[in-house]
């Protein structure tokens, strides 16, 4: 049986979120943080981190966000180059790649939120966790928290 691994990236040069599914089930998510990296080396560092995730999990499909129009031309250029690097990696490693329009992203896991919640929940004691369940229940988002609690 061959594992079917999908990776969803929410890429940027400072902070990239990722989420991994294996055989249709959530496996893990995380953040690749280059916010403190010298701006001269930030792009290269983020590309290396993304490639490491792709090397480690060996996905058959990668989903990335389409580059949206930016107010700042420099940011648009950097995001487009990052997208090109990911596409190049996938083409040379024969990984199917799908570029998703921003409006469609809600159909996928919100990877940065996932990684944040995962790290946050790991630090809570049981009484804090129960209080958080209560708050999210009031906000009708209990399923999201339950999913993270039982995946820890």
């Amino acid at each position: 049986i061959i594992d079917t691994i999908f990776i969803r990236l929410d890429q940027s040069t400072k902070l990239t979120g990722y989420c991994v599914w294996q055989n249709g089930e959530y496996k893990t998510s995380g953040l690749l943080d280059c916010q403190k990296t010298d701006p001269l080396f930030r792009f290269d560092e983020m590309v290396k981190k993304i490639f490491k995730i792709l090397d480690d999990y060996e996905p058959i499909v990668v989903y990335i966000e389409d580059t949206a129009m930016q107010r700042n031309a420099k940011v648009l250029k950097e995001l487009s180059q990052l997208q090109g690097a990911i596409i190049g990696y996938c083409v040379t490693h024969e990984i199917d790649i799908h570029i998703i329009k921003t409006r469609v992203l809600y159909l996928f896991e919100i990877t940065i939120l996932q990684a944040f919640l995962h790290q946050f929940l790991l630090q809570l004691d049981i009484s804090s966790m129960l209080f958080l369940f209560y708050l999210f229940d009031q906000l009708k988002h209990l399923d999201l928290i339950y999913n993270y609690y039982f995946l820890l």
Side-chain angles (χ1 to χ4, degrees):
I1 297 175
I2 297 174
D3 279 339
T4 303
I5 298 175
F6 298 88
I7 293 183
R8 160 72 176 99
L9 296 170
D10 186 1
Q11 71 275 8
S12 89
T13 57
K14 291 182 181 179
L15 194 64
T16 291
Y18 68 92
C19 187
V20 180
W21 290 272
Q22 185 172 12
N23 299 324
E25 294 186 14
Y26 169 83
K27 182 172 181 171
T28 190
S29 60
L31 293 173
L32 307 175
D33 190 349
C34 289
Q35 295 180 92
K36 294 181 181 177
T37 305
D38 184 325
L40 292 172
F41 305 107
R42 187 177 292 147
F43 179 85
D44 292 348
E45 186 66 26
M46 184 56 76
V47 168
K48 289 175 187 174
K49 287 183 176 192
I50 291 171
F51 286 7
K52 172 96 169 79
I53 292 296
L54 297 175
D55 285 340
D56 289 350
Y57 290 103
E58 299 178 339
I60 64 164
V61 179
V62 172
Y63 294 93
I64 61 173
E65 181 179 358
D66 197 6
T67 304
M69 187 54 74
Q70 303 289 318
R71 292 182 189 159
N72 183 327
K74 181 179 182 263
V75 171
L76 177 61
K77 180 180 174 183
E78 288 176 350
L79 291 174
S80 297
Q81 290 171 341
L82 185 58
Q83 184 183 54
I86 296 167
I87 292 169
Y89 179 96
C90 290
V91 168
T92 59
H93 289 81
E94 298 181 355
I95 299 169
D96 197 15
I97 184 153
H98 296 275
I99 301 170
I100 309 300
K101 300 285 184 200
T102 305
R103 289 185 212 115
V104 180
L105 290 177
Y106 294 106
L107 299 176
F108 294 93
E109 300 290 336
I110 303 172
T111 54
I112 290 178
L113 178 60
Q114 279 186 321
F116 170 77
L117 283 174
H118 179 74
Q119 293 301 317
F120 179 73
L121 291 176
L122 286 175
Q123 299 172 17
L124 293 180
D125 60 22
I126 192 66
S127 61
S128 299
M129 181 72 71
L130 291 173
F131 179 69
L132 188 62
F133 283 168
Y134 169 77
L135 290 177
F136 269 73
D137 186 41
Q138 299 303 308
L139 297 173
K140 305 301 181 214
H141 294 291
L142 189 57
D143 290 343
L144 182 64
I145 294 298
Y146 276 137
N147 288 340
Y148 281 95
Y149 181 73
F150 291 111
L151 290 171
L152 299 179

